[in-house]
Every structure is written in structure tokens, then in C-alpha cells.
Amino acid sequence: MIFETHAHYDDKAFEKDRDDLLKSLPENGIGAVVNAGSDLSSIGKIQKLTKKYPYVYGAAGIHPCDTGDLTEERFAWLKKQCDDEKIVAVGEIGLDYHWNDPHPDIQKKWFVRQLLLAQEVRLPVIIHSREAANDTLTIMRENHAEKSGGVIHCFSYSAEMAAEFLKMDYYFGIGGVITFENAKKLKEAVRCIPIERILLETDSPYLAPSPYRGKRNSSLYLPYIAEAVGRIKEMTGEEVIRRTQENAERLFGVACVR
Ligand code: NI
């Protein structure tokens, strides 16, 4: 079955049909979902979804763009949520320099704190890194991010950069962008990343694959991503689904429903 390693079903884009959609996932071949945290308010919503659906898991973490709201008190609360048995990762955490908001110093501070938190609570991390490759790598090295392990979600850097994250035994989340005609750099990176290190993800409701580009995304479109990865790795879509399921089960320590 397909292991969806990154989605945001707490997002308001799913307000009208969230339950119908989540209910329909197993019959459509989706055996597990990790719903990533974004801002502080997302985490309670995610926990509710994980209680309702046995195959939905959560990640607790604050997205770099939302770290401006973090305080010591809120961070202590976040840490407590990691004890929840359905929380399987700390994320998404990282650096996003696209809008420069909040200031990179604030983003870096909370990236470090959340990396160390993951090591303390013994969970892998889900890393969001946009236009910040070198700082991401430096902070990960300085703070021994190889101890928690994790995934670089929506990987968008070069093959050379992939080689650096591979040295730390990280996984790579590959999503809808791989289906785009003009994604040359990403296709080259995927060619270089061993299949043992690839995870499938959508980042729903964002980044829908071709032929749904620009529409609301959902885990139901994952077969298009598997096919695109398969074309690069000279494998069938089914083989990609099987291998990436094993990878995700190994990283997050939970299994797809049968
Ligand atoms: Ni995300």
C-alpha cells in the first residue's frame, strides 16, 4: 500500500469533505498518512484526526514561517504532545528564506531547539528547507541531526546537496513537482538518490501533480508521483510504492493498514 509521508488534512481546504476523503483512503490503496504540523493551532486538530482514523499519524512541530509565535511556554507544551503515541515525528521544522519572515535568526533558533527536542523524545524529524540549503546543512551537522534521523520533505535542491544529506542517512520526500515537465534538477537528484532513501508525499493541499497541477492536492494522486519516480528509477509504479512503503515504515516505526 502507499505510505503518504506528508499531508495537511487539518487545512481549511478540506473543510467540506475531510471525513469522506480520509475514510476513502484505504480502499484507494493509501495505507498510512503522516499529517505534518504547521502552526501551534494545527497540532490539536491533527491529534483529533489521528484518534479518529487508525491509519492517520501526526507530526508535532512548528513550521519555520510560524516560529515567530513560539515562546518557552508554548515550546514546553509542544514537547508534551510528543508523548502522544500517534505522534511519530517532530515536524515540520526547518528554514524558509523565501519571504524572510520571521527573521532568519528566529527561524534558526527554533530549528535548533526542535532538532534537539526530537533527539530527546527519540522521534525522527520532518525538515522543510526552502532557499536555505547551506544554513540547513550547517545547523543539522552542528546539532547532530543524524541522531534523530528524518526526512528532507519536498526535496528541491541539487544532486550534490542530496549527497550531503545522504551522508547523514536522511530520507528524501518526493512529491508532485517530480511530475512537472520542467523539473530537470529534481529529476537529476532523484536519479542519484538510492531507492532505499525515497519517500512518497503530496504536501496536500499544495503541489498537486500533473495532470492536476494548480488544483487542490490529496493523497489519492500519489500513484502519479510513484509512476514519475518509476520512470526515473526504471521501475514500475507498484515497485516504487512497495519500496517506499518499506522505507516509511522503517523511518516512522508504524505500518500501513492491511
Ligand atoms: Ni508541508
Side-chain angles (χ1 to χ4, degrees):
M1 289 188 99
I2 301 178
F3 197 126
E4 156 77 283
T5 62
H6 195 113
H8 298 276
Y9 283 112
D10 55 293
D11 193 280
K12 59 179 183 325
F14 296 106
E15 222 146 78
K16 289 210 174 98
D17 58 350
R18 181 178 291 114
D19 282 304
D20 290 338
L21 190 54
L22 287 173
K23 247 181 258 167
S24 77
L25 293 182
E27 70 205 45
N28 286 295
I30 318 297
V33 175
V34 173
N35 197 117
S38 47
D39 59 6
L40 271 158
S41 72
S42 70
I43 294 164
K45 291 178 205 159
I46 293 166
Q47 285 170 312
K48 268 190 201 142
L49 294 177
T50 67
K51 303 287 177 287
K52 203 161 170 185
Y53 301 98
Y55 43 89
V56 175
Y57 298 87
I62 306 302
H63 188 287
C65 295
D66 293 296
T67 48
D69 298 331
L70 268 171
T71 59
E72 287 302 328
E73 201 185 350
R74 287 167 173 173
F75 185 75
W77 178 84
L78 180 70
K79 181 180 170 185
K80 234 187 235 162
Q81 310 318 306
C82 295
D83 294 338
D84 183 331
E85 57 174 6
K86 296 224 51 195
I87 295 294
V88 296
V90 172
E92 56 190 288
I93 64 172
L95 301 173
D96 190 325
Y97 292 170
H98 188 68
W99 306 109
N100 263 319
D101 178 36
H103 190 279
D105 289 348
I106 295 173
Q107 296 191 31
K108 284 186 204 169
K109 172 189 164 181
W110 292 110
F111 182 30
V112 171
R113 293 291 300 276
Q114 294 186 95
L115 278 177
L116 298 178
L117 168 65
Q119 291 170 32
E120 199 185 328
V121 300
R122 293 176 184 275
L123 288 176
V125 290
I126 298 172
I127 293 183
H128 170 108
S129 177
R130 188 180 184 199
E131 297 172 27
N134 289 325
D135 281 3
T136 302
L137 199 55
T138 304
I139 287 180
M140 285 173 69
R141 283 184 181 140
E142 283 174 1
N143 295 280
H144 300 283
E146 73 282 357
K147 282 189 188 164
S148 65
V151 53
I152 312 294
H153 127 76
C154 193
F155 183 75
S156 58
Y157 298 134
S158 63
E160 290 73 33
M161 207 36 99
E164 297 304 316
F165 292 115
L166 270 173
K167 284 182 196 156
M168 305 182 86
D169 271 343
Y170 266 63
Y171 290 83
F172 297 80
I174 304 300
V177 177
I178 196 68
T179 66
F180 300 166
E181 199 82 30
N182 57 359
K184 280 214 183 81
K185 189 177 75 170
L186 179 60
K187 285 176 184 163
E188 186 49 40
V190 168
R191 219 182 307 279
C192 299
I193 299 169
I195 188 71
E196 294 78 32
R197 291 283 145 187
I198 291 177
L199 305 179
L200 298 182
E201 64 166 54
T202 59
D203 206 17
S204 295
Y206 311 108
L207 293 174
S210 170
Y212 299 100
R213 191 171 182 175
K215 304 251 164 62
R216 186 188 73 171
N217 201 0
S218 89
S219 307
L220 300 176
Y221 298 156
L222 281 163
Y224 294 97
I225 298 165
E227 288 291 332
V229 170
R231 280 194 288 277
I232 296 167
K233 303 307 257 183
E234 295 178 357
M235 286 178 184
T236 62
E238 271 120 75
E239 179 76 354
V240 171
I241 287 168
R242 193 177 63 74
R243 300 292 298 270
T244 54
Q245 177 192 346
E246 289 170 6
N247 298 343
E249 291 181 344
R250 193 185 317 124
L251 176 65
F252 294 114
V254 293
C256 281
V257 286
R258 305 205 179 262

